[in-house]
Amino acid sequence: MTEADDFETHRPVLIGLAYRLLGSMWDAEDVVQDAWLRWSATGREEVREPRAFLITVVSRLALDQLRSARVKREAYAGPWLPEPVADGDAGPLDTAELRDTVSIATLHLMERLSPPERAVFVLREAFELPYDRIAEIIEVSVANARQIHHRAARRLAEGRDRFRPSPEQHAELFNRFIAAAAEGDLGALTELLHDDVVFYGDGGGKVRSALRPIAGRDKVLRFLAGLWERYPYGGAAIGSANGHPVLWSRLGENMQLLAVDLRDGRVREMYGVLNPDKLGRVRPPS
């Protein structure tokens, strides 16, 4: 096996790791390319376990990238949401943990974590690395790695259901949402939303959207009603991105990808991605 072949064998895992750490496929691909340069410049006699070596390199490069990305995201026009990707583009999704850690809801929640917390959480939850390996990668003690993981997991669990909804439950909710939106039935829509629902809209300064999160069922209902009154609502279809169902719809001339997170069977958080720069890797169902 050639040097390039060996690297390509691990590329899907490396992309999945970098994407979970950064929430951006553009940045993830840059990190993996930098990892390739380091890999090709390192003698094979220096690498005992290629997968472990590459995961370490990508994790550290992504951590450096994440620290600078956080500064840029603070100046972003409105709420920053992860870049949606087609199923499978972010690496293997063959376990519930891998699917959950790549969902738009989880990636958005991980923005609350510090870069080390995010790295420890992803390496442990998605890739099941032992604490001694994680400690080596982020250069802390094993005890500290455990503590960081428990803290990160606790922060991400706050306010979320312990059990994730099935794809069928997601699809049923989206079908009800489509029917309510098509009829302008705010009463039916009210039944779908949690009292504490929050809407995040990411237009990125390219498409008009709410510049701040909209919190509370009444405010979200008024926002949606005003949006549908201003822009014709159509082209609604259920698709899939990041390993989970999403709702596509057309708002005027723009497409929106909507992902949701549920609590107690109702929508607790809504993530509307309208920024066209973030929709280049996903397509609505034909």
Side-chain angles (χ1 to χ4, degrees), residues 137-244:
I137 290 171
I138 67 168
E139 300 177 302
V140 298
S141 69
V142 174
N144 199 9
R146 288 180 183 273
Q147 185 179 45
I148 291 172
H149 174 251
H150 293 324
R151 183 169 65 241
R154 185 173 62 250
R155 291 184 65 188
L156 292 180
E158 291 174 356
R160 301 190 80 188
D161 278 341
R162 181 180 177 185
F163 301 103
R164 300 289 182 261
S166 68
E168 292 75 20
Q169 289 172 312
H170 257 125
E172 179 187 0
L173 184 142
F174 280 142
N175 278 321
R176 292 170 63 192
F177 188 95
I178 291 171
E183 297 295 328
D185 188 347
L186 295 183
L189 190 59
T190 299
E191 293 300 314
L192 300 178
L193 304 182
H194 196 280
D195 291 346
D196 300 323
V197 63
V198 182
F199 177 89
Y200 301 89
D202 183 343
K206 306 290 182 67
V207 175
R208 186 173 180 179
S209 186
L211 293 177
R212 292 182 179 83
I214 300 171
R217 185 164 58 190
D218 289 343
K219 290 182 179 179
V220 170
L221 284 170
R222 286 198 299 270
F223 170 76
L224 293 176
L227 196 66
W228 296 335
E229 183 177 344
R230 184 181 181 90
Y231 302 105
Y233 181 84
I238 300 171
S240 186
N242 294 63
H244 293 77

Side-chain angles (χ1 to χ4, degrees), residues 257-270:
L257 180 149
L258 181 71
V260 299
D261 199 24
L262 308 183
R263 192 205 298 181
D264 305 325
R266 294 187 175 189
V267 176
R268 174 64 177 78
E269 293 192 332
M270 308 173 72

Side-chain angles (χ1 to χ4, degrees), residues 23-81:
S24 163
M25 189 57 76
W26 295 106
D27 292 337
E29 289 175 341
D30 286 346
V31 162
V32 172
Q33 179 61 28
D34 287 345
W36 157 251
L37 296 176
R38 297 199 182 193
W39 167 258
S40 60
T42 302
R44 295 289 77 78
E45 67 280 358
E46 300 178 41
V47 181
R48 289 183 298 176
E49 298 180 29
R51 185 178 188 274
F53 173 85
L54 290 168
I55 283 177
T56 298
V57 171
V58 167
S59 296
R60 291 176 177 172
L61 288 171
L63 273 171
D64 290 341
Q65 180 87 340
L66 184 58
R67 292 184 178 101
S68 61
R70 287 167 72 91
V71 175
K72 295 177 183 177
R73 290 170 192 177
E74 289 175 359
Y76 192 78
W80 185 93
L81 292 176

